[in-house]
Amino acid sequence: AAGVIQSPRHLIKEKRETATLKCYPIPRHDTVYWYQQGPGQDPQFLISFYEKMQSDKGSIPDRFSAQQFSDYHSELNMSSLELGDSALYFCASSPAGTVTNYGYTFGSGTRLTVV
Amino acid sequence: SQQGEEDPQALSIQEGENATMNCSYKTSINNLQWYRQNSGRGLVHLILIRSNEREKHSGRLRVTLDTSKKSSSLLITASRAADTASYFCLILSNRDDKIIFGKGTRLHILP
């Protein structure tokens, strides 16, 4: 069965560069959530989209932006990267908004290293 | 804070023993989910329990939910080395549909 696909799996960038992370949800899942997990830290919610509109916003820095496209995939754009942005970024998808009787399906994540 | 809290934050037990992890929360919930995360990997959904359920089983996993105490527990019976991972509870609030992660319990199964 198709899962949530994230690309790239690993990314190394220098300080002040930009990065774009992609998330492809499970087919027919219209909601995407982005999380950031620093080394040894718990996941922190960044932002979510439902039907291509931002549905909720968490601790996402102003340097980051995200959008959901017509095919429901989502991209997280990160600019002016800082060393502290090094983390595992993963997305999750779910059907029909956030109220669901099913668990969320998480991607394997993109490991971003800023040097 | 609506943050889910988990205890213990780290747990080491011998293989074959049972492991119990707890999650407490402060909001009213639609459902509560448990996830496992192997080191540096994505989260894997284990089990979901709805607010009107009190107990669920899945293989060696047993989850209980006490909405009056706003707490849940995850029991892994007959632990195995492969159970070594971090375990997170995830709460779906029915007040504002927010998803809240617990702090995670790092479980280490000793051979």
Side-chain angles (χ1 to χ4, degrees), chain B residues 10 22 24 31 38 43-45 50 54 56-58 62 64 71 76 78 80 85 96 100:
Chain B
N22 301 301
S24 60
N31 65 55
N38 290 84
L43 285 89
V44 176
H45 178 253
R50 299 188 183 91
R54 292 296 166 260
K56 280 190 88 168
H57 298 255
S58 176
R62 174 178 169 247
T64 61
S71 69
I76 303 176
R80 304 169 182 169
D96 50 15
I100 305 162

Side-chain angles (χ1 to χ4, degrees), chain A residues 4-78:
Chain A
V4 176
I5 306 298
Q6 289 188 248
S7 67
R9 290 293 303 273
H10 301 274
L11 188 59
I12 300 175
K13 290 285 186 177
E14 295 189 355
K15 284 194 305 183
R16 293 180 288 279
E17 284 192 320
T18 61
T20 297
L21 279 55
K22 297 184 180 182
C23 171
Y24 296 87
I26 288 176
R28 293 183 294 280
H29 281 198
D30 51 16
T31 306
V32 170
Y33 313 83
W34 284 97
Y35 292 87
Q36 175 194 58
Q37 186 180 31
Q41 303 296 311
D42 305 311
Q44 298 295 321
F45 171 68
L46 292 178
I47 196 167
S48 62
F49 292 88
Y50 168 59
E51 281 293 341
K52 292 154 278 184
M53 299 287 289
Q54 181 182 309
S55 56
D56 200 2
K57 194 172 182 180
S59 53
I60 183 170
D62 291 341
R63 298 177 290 107
F64 295 5
S65 65
Q67 57 182 324
Q68 186 179 31
F69 294 86
S70 57
D71 63 351
Y72 295 106
H73 93 273
S74 178
E75 294 184 3
L76 177 65
N77 299 294
M78 311 158 71

Side-chain angles (χ1 to χ4, degrees), chain B residues 5 9 17 19-22 29 33 38 40 42 50 55 62 69-70 75 79-81 83 90 92 96 99 106 109:
Chain B
E5 297 288 336
Q9 295 208 0
E17 292 183 337
T20 300
M21 291 160 274
N22 301 301
I29 65 170
Q33 302 164 36
N38 290 84
R50 299 188 183 91
E55 187 172 312
R62 174 178 169 247
K69 295 181 179 178
K70 291 189 175 357
L75 168 68
S79 62
R80 304 169 182 169
D83 296 329
L90 185 153
L92 176 61
D96 50 15
I99 301 169
R106 276 74 178 168
I109 307 300

